[in-house]
């Protein structure tokens, strides 16, 4: 790995490209980033970075003074280092997982290892057996690094019975169970937990195997064995209260809660007095992300109404001043600190935006200088990329909708062919601002790209998400249609050159869109999509679980005839648009039974269509398959809506 240091001056002067965009190689968009993450050791002497090597993600340690690699960690074909941390000056903690494709049968569970930075004393810390995806087993996540106890960490052990917290010695692998409160029901399990800055377990979240909406928050006072249930007096049928982090002295905890309003607010809860103070709430979007200083002082929180926003709670703190200065140095970009030295004098900074996949810098607080380290996708030039503009519109029933519009670089944004890119989920995920290589690829080929957070999407509060329940294929689909027509009415999109595309639920919306609006779209692309709601309740990993069955009943009911009315596979005869279907043969979330159902329905209706299947899971991850899929997508779009 080559780490090239460049002074910041000159890096910020690139101007946006004007005129028609240069057609860039497809591989520039579809291939994965070279680098995932980089972190500095507590003593500042070394960097550790995860990087791509074919189908693997490896970890390399580099000596800063000599600028040479001191070790390299790899786990074999298709194995990835998924996360890592410096536990102390000399020892690393790393998680690895076999990953062939997303939600397939070929992967493995997450395993935890420790090693000296030079590769010596490498140790497997996981206590469970290796297992294939979906077959059980045990995995671990790091809950706390215990900076004051460099030979210990706190881990959460995940298995079918829930999460169990352990204090783990990273030198000999011995672990000690930290206890847990008594669950309120035999059907309950520990779904999450939070430790304070001393490594004491203070919060445990209780889930229920038969009710995915029920969460109970347990907490205890410092040095007490008496667990209590945190009850904030919610009147809503569904409300969650989740711990985000502790104050520096552990006397208060930050909570994300929607017990008193549809959106999540951030509260400060005094554990000794039992008092609750609302620090921030946005009326439209959830806030649930706090960030702290190197000394554990809480500095502020982040949320995303359109673009990332920061609410400062302590602007006088030196770390806050540092971040404020960095934000000014990179206007219009998102700035985050990924790691820092023990004394806080140096920090690794990640800078990214809608046109920048991410650059890493090292910042020296003493000299107030910033130096370039490396880029996630060094072949991407931000000045050649498109901008993602937040939009707002009103649905036909008066509901406010938000989303994003990406226009080809240099375009005036008038009368363009447009692709409506519908996100998956649908309940929980939302479209966000940031680098999106799919949108950049389409914009580079001359298409406007529209993303809309239709009702049912996450991130906009409980009522907005629940407004999508029982509305698959109807009101949720109308929101997508209304956004499409908005772009036409604004003069952005050419009404005669519209295509709708999406993966998973987005694939459902793409095909349902051309069923419900047969004269609006010229083409539809369904990628690993759901096409038959009746089959969805029988086939795949969701209906195999009781919580999954309860979820499906909640969001789409139990009326089989209604399912059929809202299923593209039962209404293929209404489709006039050209169709391209792509599916994964090893998909456990939306199995091939869905793709085959739509394929056979189109054949029965006498429709011509393009079909692709590959030995992949829920989406294509192998480079050759991505190149094939998006290459055919490019030809398909050009044939039906031009460029």
């Amino acid at each position: 790995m080559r780490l090239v240091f460049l002074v910041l001056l000159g890096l910020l002067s690139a101007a946006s490209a004007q005129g028609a965009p240069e057609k860039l190689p497809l591989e520039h968009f579809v291939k994965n980033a070279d680098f995932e993450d980089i972190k500095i050791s507590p003593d500042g002497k070394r960097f550790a970075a995860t990087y791509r090597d074919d189908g693997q993600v490896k970890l390399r340690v580099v000596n800063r003074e000599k600028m040479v690699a001191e070790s390299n960690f790899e786990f074999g074909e298709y194995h990835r280092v998924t996360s890592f941390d410096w536990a102390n000056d000399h020892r690393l903690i790393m998680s690895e997982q076999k990953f062939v494709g997303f939600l397939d049968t070929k992967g493995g569970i997450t395993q935890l290892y420790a090693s000296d930075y030079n590769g010596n004393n490498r140790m497997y810390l996981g206590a469970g057996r290796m297992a294939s995806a979906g077959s059980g087993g045990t995995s671990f996540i790091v809950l706390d690094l215990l900076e004051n106890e460099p030979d210990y960490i706190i881990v959460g052990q995940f298995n079918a019975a829930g999460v169990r917290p352990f204090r783990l010695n990273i030198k000999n692998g011995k672990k000690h169970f930290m206890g847990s409160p008594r669950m309120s029901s035999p059907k309950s399990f520990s779904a999450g937990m939070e430790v304070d800055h001393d490594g004491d377990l203070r919060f445990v979240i209780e889930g229920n195997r038969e009710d995915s909406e029920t969460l109970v928050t347990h907490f205890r006072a410092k040095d007490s064995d008496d667990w209590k249930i945190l009850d904030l007096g919610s009147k809503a049928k569904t409300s969650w209260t989740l711990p985000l982090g502790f104050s520096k002295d552990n006397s208060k905890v930050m909570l994300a809660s929607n017990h008193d309003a549809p959106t999540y607010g951030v509260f400060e809860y005094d554990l000794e007095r039992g008092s609750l103070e609302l620090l921030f709430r946005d009326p439209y979007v959830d806030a649930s992300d706090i960030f702290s200083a190197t000394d554990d002082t809480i500095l502020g929180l982040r949320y995303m109404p359109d673009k990332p926003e920061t609410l400062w709670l302590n602007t006088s703190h030196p770390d806050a001043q540092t971040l404020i200065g960095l934000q000014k140095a990179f206007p219009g970009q998102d700035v985050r600190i990924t790691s820092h030295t023990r004394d806080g004098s140096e920090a690794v900074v990640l800078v990214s935006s809608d046109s920048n996949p991410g650059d890493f810098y090292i910042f020296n607080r003493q000299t107030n200088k910033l130096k370039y380290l490396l880029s996630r996708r060094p072949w991407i030039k931000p000045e050649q990329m498109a901008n993602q503009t937040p939009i707002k519109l009103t649905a036909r029933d008066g509901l406010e909708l938000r989303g994003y519009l990406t226009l080809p670089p240099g375009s005036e944004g008038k009368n363009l062919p447009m692709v409506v890119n519908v996100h998956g989920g649908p309940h929980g995920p939302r479209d966000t601002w940031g680098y999106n290589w799919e949108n950049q690829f389409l914009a580079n080929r001359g298409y406007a790209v529209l993303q809309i957070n239709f009702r049912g999407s996450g991130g906009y509060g409980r009522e907005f998400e629940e407004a999508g329940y029982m509305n698959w294929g109807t009101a949720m689909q109308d929101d997508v249609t209304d956004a499409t027509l908005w772009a036409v009415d604004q003069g952005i999109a050419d009404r005669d050159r519209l295509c709708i595309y999406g993966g998973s639920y987005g694939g459902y919306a793409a095909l349902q869109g051309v069923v419900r609006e047969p004269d609006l779209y010229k083409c539809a692309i369904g990628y690993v999509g759901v096409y038959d709601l009746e089959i969805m309740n029988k086939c795949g990993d969701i209906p195999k679980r009781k919580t999954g069955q309860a979820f499906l009943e909640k969001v789409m009911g139990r009326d089989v005839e209604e399912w059929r009315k809202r299923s593209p596979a039962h209404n293929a005869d209404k489709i006039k648009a050209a169709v391209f279907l792509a599916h994964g043969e090893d998909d456990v979330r939306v199995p091939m039974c869905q793709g085959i159902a739509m394929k056979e329905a189109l054949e029965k209706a006498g429709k011509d269509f393009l079909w692709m299947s590959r030995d992949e899971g829920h989406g294509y991850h192998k480079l050759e398959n991505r190149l094939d899929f998006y290459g055919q997508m490019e030809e398909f779009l050009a044939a039906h809506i031009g460029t």
Side-chain angles (χ1 to χ4, degrees):
M1 181 181 67
R2 189 181 72 172
L3 298 180
V4 181
F5 289 84
L6 297 174
V7 178
L8 176 62
L9 293 177
L11 294 177
L12 302 178
S13 60
S16 297
Q18 299 295 322
E22 174 189 351
K23 186 175 180 179
L24 300 173
L26 172 60
E27 188 172 351
H28 281 203
F29 300 101
V30 304
K31 69 178 181 178
N32 290 309
D34 278 354
F35 296 96
E36 303 286 342
D37 201 2
I38 180 170
K39 294 179 181 180
I40 193 169
S41 61
D43 59 8
K45 294 181 179 180
R46 294 172 178 85
F47 291 115
T50 43
Y51 67 99
R52 290 268 175 177
D53 186 0
D54 292 329
Q56 299 183 55
V57 176
K58 302 177 180 179
L59 177 68
R60 183 168 292 176
V61 177
V62 174
N63 183 293
R64 282 186 70 186
E65 182 180 359
K66 299 179 180 179
M67 291 308 298
V68 295
E70 294 184 305
S71 61
N72 205 59
F73 299 91
E74 56 184 285
F75 294 87
E77 186 178 16
Y78 294 119
H79 283 259
R80 299 180 178 184
V81 176
T82 56
S83 64
F84 68 95
D85 282 294
W86 288 95
N88 53 48
D89 294 341
H90 303 283
R91 202 149 173 81
L92 284 157
I93 306 297
M94 64 195 82
S95 298
E96 75 84 22
Q97 180 185 24
K98 183 180 180 182
F99 185 98
V100 180
F102 180 55
L103 291 171
D104 62 6
T105 63
K106 302 181 181 68
I109 59 174
T110 302
Q111 302 294 312
L112 190 65
Y113 291 83
S115 175
D116 293 347
Y117 68 84
N118 56 11
N120 294 337
N121 301 314
R122 184 166 164 173
M123 179 178 294
Y124 173 57
L125 299 177
R129 59 182 175 83
M130 288 293 291
S132 61
S135 66
T138 301
S139 61
F140 290 82
I141 63 166
V142 177
L143 298 176
D144 196 279
L145 293 174
L146 296 180
E147 294 181 3
N148 296 325
E149 298 182 73
D151 292 338
Y152 291 87
I153 61 174
I154 304 297
V155 297
Q157 181 185 39
F158 283 73
N159 56 32
V163 190
R164 304 180 74 219
F166 289 89
R167 191 171 183 269
L168 190 150
N169 187 306
I170 61 173
K171 284 189 172 182
N172 58 30
K174 293 182 179 180
K175 61 184 188 298
H176 172 70
F177 180 56
M178 299 174 65
S180 186
R182 183 186 297 274
M183 300 289 102
S184 60
S185 166
K187 299 175 182 178
S188 295
F189 62 97
S190 175
M193 52 196 58
E194 183 82 17
V195 297
D196 65 18
H197 298 304
D198 295 327
D200 293 331
L201 182 66
R202 302 289 298 280
F203 277 82
V204 171
I205 308 301
E206 175 186 343
N208 189 292
R209 291 183 178 84
E210 296 186 356
D211 183 1
S212 60
E213 292 297 325
T214 298
L215 288 183
V216 178
T217 303
H218 299 261
F219 76 103
R220 63 180 174 181
K222 190 72 171 176
D223 301 321
S224 172
D225 294 328
D226 183 20
W227 287 94
K228 301 178 181 179
I229 292 178
L230 183 63
D231 184 1
L232 300 182
S234 174
K235 296 181 180 179
K237 181 180 179 181
T238 303
S239 66
W240 292 358
T241 298
L242 307 171
L244 301 176
F246 284 83
S247 61
K248 184 178 179 180
D249 63 0
N250 292 321
S251 66
K252 299 176 181 177
V253 66
M254 300 297 135
L255 301 172
S257 181
N258 60 354
H259 70 280
D260 60 341
T263 59
Y264 277 102
V266 174
F267 295 80
E268 183 179 72
Y269 184 74
D270 191 311
L271 291 159
E272 297 175 0
R273 299 179 180 177
S275 58
L276 188 71
E277 179 185 358
L278 175 64
L279 300 179
F280 174 79
R281 171 177 278 120
D282 185 273
Y284 296 103
V285 296
D286 293 324
S288 59
D289 183 17
I290 66 168
F291 59 98
S292 302
T294 54
D295 64 0
D296 296 325
T297 299
I298 293 175
L299 298 179
L301 58 92
R302 290 188 176 95
Y303 64 109
M304 191 179 293
D306 296 309
K307 296 182 179 181
E309 300 283 350
T310 302
L311 175 72
W312 295 100
L313 302 175
N314 192 336
T315 56
S316 62
H317 194 283
D319 285 9
Q321 291 296 312
T322 295
L323 274 169
I324 291 171
L326 289 171
Q327 288 178 342
K328 290 180 179 179
F330 295 96
Q333 301 203 63
D334 189 33
V335 180
R336 295 174 183 263
I337 290 178
T338 70
S339 59
H340 57 78
T341 56
R342 184 180 296 104
D343 61 6
S345 62
E346 290 187 294
V348 174
V349 179
L350 173 61
V351 180
S352 63
S353 71
D354 53 346
S355 60
N356 178 9
D359 299 322
F360 290 97
Y361 299 84
I362 184 74
F363 178 74
N364 188 303
R365 180 183 291 165
Q366 296 173 341
T367 62
N368 203 36
K369 289 185 178 180
L370 194 71
K371 292 183 179 180
Y372 170 79
L373 291 177
L374 51 84
S375 298
R376 282 178 165 168
R377 288 178 163 88
W379 58 88
I380 293 294
K381 298 178 180 179
E383 63 270 19
Q384 294 181 323
M385 297 295 105
N387 294 123
Q388 184 186 33
T389 303
I391 62 169
K392 297 179 184 178
L393 59 105
T394 303
R396 64 188 66 183
D397 63 355
L399 184 65
E400 181 180 277
L401 303 175
R402 299 187 180 198
Y404 300 93
L405 182 68
T406 303
L407 300 178
S411 167
E412 295 181 355
K414 298 296 181 182
N415 205 37
L416 294 169
M418 186 175 78
V419 177
V420 182
N421 189 350
V422 187
H423 72 70
H427 307 297
R430 58 160 285 194
D431 286 316
T432 58
W433 184 87
Y435 185 81
N436 183 309
W437 61 263
E438 269 192 344
N439 291 350
Q440 292 292 349
F441 158 63
L442 293 169
N444 182 260
R445 296 316 193 244
Y447 300 103
V449 185
L450 177 67
Q451 298 168 284
I452 192 68
N453 285 315
F454 46 84
R455 73 191 69 201
S457 302
Y460 291 90
R462 177 178 57 244
E463 292 179 357
F464 188 88
E465 182 169 338
E466 291 178 352
Y469 296 174
M470 307 297 290
N471 279 315
W472 283 44
T474 53
M476 292 170 70
Q477 195 69 44
D478 289 342
D479 289 346
V480 177
T481 301
D482 291 346
T484 304
L485 295 175
W486 170 87
V488 171
D489 293 341
Q490 295 293 313
I492 297 165
D494 181 348
R495 188 184 182 102
D496 294 326
R497 294 192 293 168
L498 303 173
C499 190
I500 184 168
Y501 157 69
S504 195
Y505 173 85
Y508 167 81
L511 271 294
Q512 182 69 358
V514 293
V515 167
R516 197 169 172 87
E517 306 289 343
D519 297 315
L520 181 60
Y521 302 101
K522 290 293 184 290
C523 59
I525 304 171
Y527 183 38
V528 297
V530 173
Y531 307 116
D532 190 319
L533 301 186
E534 184 176 5
I535 291 177
M536 185 179 180
N537 282 266
K538 301 176 182 178
C539 185
D541 62 345
I542 295 178
K544 290 181 179 179
R545 305 185 302 268
K546 289 185 177 180
T547 52
Q549 295 170 8
F551 170 77
L552 291 174
E553 183 174 4
K554 177 180 65 179
V555 301
M556 62 178 60
R558 283 294 176 191
D559 189 330
V560 176
E561 288 303 315
E562 192 64 30
W563 290 343
R564 292 171 179 170
K565 290 179 183 178
R566 302 184 187 190
S567 296
H570 287 272
N571 294 276
D573 58 310
K574 299 175 182 176
I575 296 175
K576 298 180 181 179
V579 173
F580 177 15
L581 298 178
H583 221 88
E585 297 165 4
D586 195 32
D587 192 338
V588 299
R589 177 57 48 88
V590 183
M592 274 293 288
C593 54
Q594 290 283 355
I596 291 173
M598 193 69 230
K599 178 177 180 290
E600 292 179 347
L602 289 168
E603 290 171 341
K604 183 178 179 180
K607 307 292 183 181
D608 292 329
F609 62 96
L610 184 63
W611 168 258
M612 176 185 290
S613 66
R614 295 291 182 270
D615 183 19
E616 291 249 30
H618 199 50
Y620 297 167
H621 286 263
K622 295 178 182 178
L623 179 59
E624 61 269 27
N625 291 337
R626 285 190 178 187
L627 287 169
D628 192 5
F629 173 58
Y630 287 97
Q632 291 198 44
M633 177 190 290
E634 182 175 358
E635 295 177 0
F636 180 79
L637 290 171
H640 295 289
I641 61 173
T643 59

